[in-house]
Amino acid sequence: MLDFPSTLKEVLDTFKLCLSENKEVYLEHYVAGWRGLVKFLNCLGSVFGFISKDAVNKIKILVTHMEGENGSQYVTVQSMVKYELDNELVDLTKRGIHPESGCRTLLRLHRALRWLELFLERLRTSNEDGKTSVMCSESYNESLAQHHPWMVRKAAGMAFCVLPGRPAFFEVMNVGPPEQVVAMLGEALPLISDVYQITEEFYAQHNMLDLP
Ligand code: 1PZ
């Protein structure tokens, strides 16, 4: 696992390992990537606690499936989806007896990955006086917010306001001078985008983009 001192580069590199040769998404690395992101989020302060708690909770649910007696079915996103669908382990239209299915749990993180992609792209192309809080809330409104009720959107909006400015944010990323951060993001983003697109298409094929 990632230990301190870790840099955001190491975290984003984990997403590189997610794709298998035939474009399946390995859950082990996906989860490891999210663990790293949560650690990073925790460095930004306790205001983000309610966000990281939810992410940790979702990671735990997935790990429980991966380490459970049917763990061999939870190797990739694709194998997980097939297994849970074939065995009717997913609530498809309304919440019911499977509130912790791997499919609905991963979908939440998957939607958050889109937020991450949009946010990091804004960060990459921003200039010195760019406002992280604005980049963050714009990315949020274009992605995750559409799936969140008013209360969560409100709380998220308040947390964004106390995000550190661009220079301090770059420091916490612990990657090096700004040019290096920008270069690193340029390398990492296409991979995150691939993982997102492949998962998105697979979920779409199985009509699972709106799991309750
Ligand atoms: C750098 C600043 C970080 C901003 C993070 C932006 C995302 C804001 C998300 C606010 C989520 C608030 C708490 C939980 C909400 C849950 O209701 C939803 C739906 O799950 P359900 O209720 O259906 O079980 N959870 C999510 O949408 C998953 C959110 C995970 C967010 C992880 C962000 C990690 C950020 C890493 C930063 C580098």
Side-chain angles (χ1 to χ4, degrees), residues 101-128:
S101 70
C103 289
R104 69 90 58 196
T105 303
L106 186 117
L107 178 62
R108 272 56 187 178
L109 294 178
H110 167 69
R111 290 168 177 166
L113 196 63
R114 176 68 181 155
W115 163 81
L116 184 75
E117 185 189 346
L118 294 171
F119 174 64
L120 293 180
E121 178 59 18
R122 279 183 166 81
L123 204 57
R124 185 181 79 82
T125 52
S126 63
N127 40 30
E128 278 149 53

Side-chain angles (χ1 to χ4, degrees), residues 119-189:
F119 174 64
L120 293 180
E121 178 59 18
R122 279 183 166 81
L123 204 57
R124 185 181 79 82
T125 52
S126 63
N127 40 30
E128 278 149 53
D129 49 8
K131 286 213 180 320
T132 49
S133 56
V134 174
M135 299 181 229
C136 191
S137 61
E138 285 176 357
S139 314
Y140 176 73
N141 291 337
E142 280 175 28
S143 57
L144 265 182
Q146 294 162 21
H147 305 282
H148 286 165
W150 184 84
M151 272 300 289
V152 172
R153 293 203 302 265
K154 205 76 198 154
M158 274 153 61
F160 298 160
C161 290
V162 298
L163 270 180
R166 189 177 179 272
F169 197 88
F170 275 19
E171 291 266 306
V172 186
M173 289 170 82
N174 195 21
V175 174
E179 313 81 73
Q180 226 157 297
V181 176
V182 169
M184 182 282 283
L185 288 176
E187 281 171 35
L189 271 163

Side-chain angles (χ1 to χ4, degrees), residues 161-212:
C161 290
V162 298
L163 270 180
R166 189 177 179 272
F169 197 88
F170 275 19
E171 291 266 306
V172 186
M173 289 170 82
N174 195 21
V175 174
E179 313 81 73
Q180 226 157 297
V181 176
V182 169
M184 182 282 283
L185 288 176
E187 281 171 35
L189 271 163
L191 294 153
I192 292 178
S193 172
D194 271 0
V195 171
Y196 176 83
Q197 283 309 332
I198 288 168
T199 310
E200 177 79 5
E201 275 158 33
F202 197 74
Y203 264 67
Q205 277 166 21
H206 293 85
N207 280 320
M208 295 207 315
L209 286 171
D210 295 306
L211 293 181

Side-chain angles (χ1 to χ4, degrees), residues 8 30 37 61 68 166:
L8 197 68
Y30 196 87
L37 288 171
I61 293 172
R166 189 177 179 272

